[in-house]
Amino acid sequence: KNILSPTARDLVEKYHKQAFRFGGNPNALPLTDPYNVGFFSTSNRKLARTYIDYAAQYGQLAVLQFDYIGGKDGMNKQAFNRILKYIDGQDVKVVTATDLLKS
């Protein structure tokens, strides 16, 4: 249900420095809770572009989630490349999870 229970949260905090969960995107910056970072699926390309646009327009964090790229179960490589090109054309900075911890 996209919510960490108190027990799950305690375990995540004990063993990890941050946690990503489905929903709740885009995220405000700077992050106020590294254990509650929302991500969204890129399977809906129109929605993905909308969130990327919001990130660019409002200086927010949009965390994209890709299950698989290529193969029979994954996003096809052309669609993946289109999303990357779209991101490249926006006024956004691409960062890693480690980059977020440093900010």
Side-chain angles (χ1 to χ4, degrees), residues 26-86:
N27 300 277
L29 288 174
L31 290 178
T32 57
D33 183 356
Y35 297 101
N36 193 27
V37 182
F39 68 83
F40 61 91
S41 171
T42 55
S43 60
N44 181 331
R45 290 181 201 101
K46 183 177 179 184
L47 184 61
R49 288 181 177 201
T50 297
Y51 284 144
I52 293 164
D53 292 343
Y54 288 157
Q57 184 175 357
Y58 301 109
Q60 296 175 321
L61 173 67
V63 180
L64 286 72
Q65 182 248 357
F66 300 91
D67 285 322
Y68 302 100
I69 301 166
K72 68 175 188 153
D73 294 326
M75 172 184 277
N76 73 54
K77 292 177 184 179
Q78 294 82 7
F80 178 69
N81 284 326
R82 282 193 298 273
I83 289 177
L84 295 181
K85 277 186 170 182
Y86 190 78

Side-chain angles (χ1 to χ4, degrees), residues 1-9 12 19-23 35-36:
K1 296 182 182 179
N2 307 325
I3 298 171
L4 286 176
S5 70
T7 302
R9 170 112 183 180
V12 169
F20 297 87
R21 62 166 180 75
F22 184 76
Y35 297 101
N36 193 27

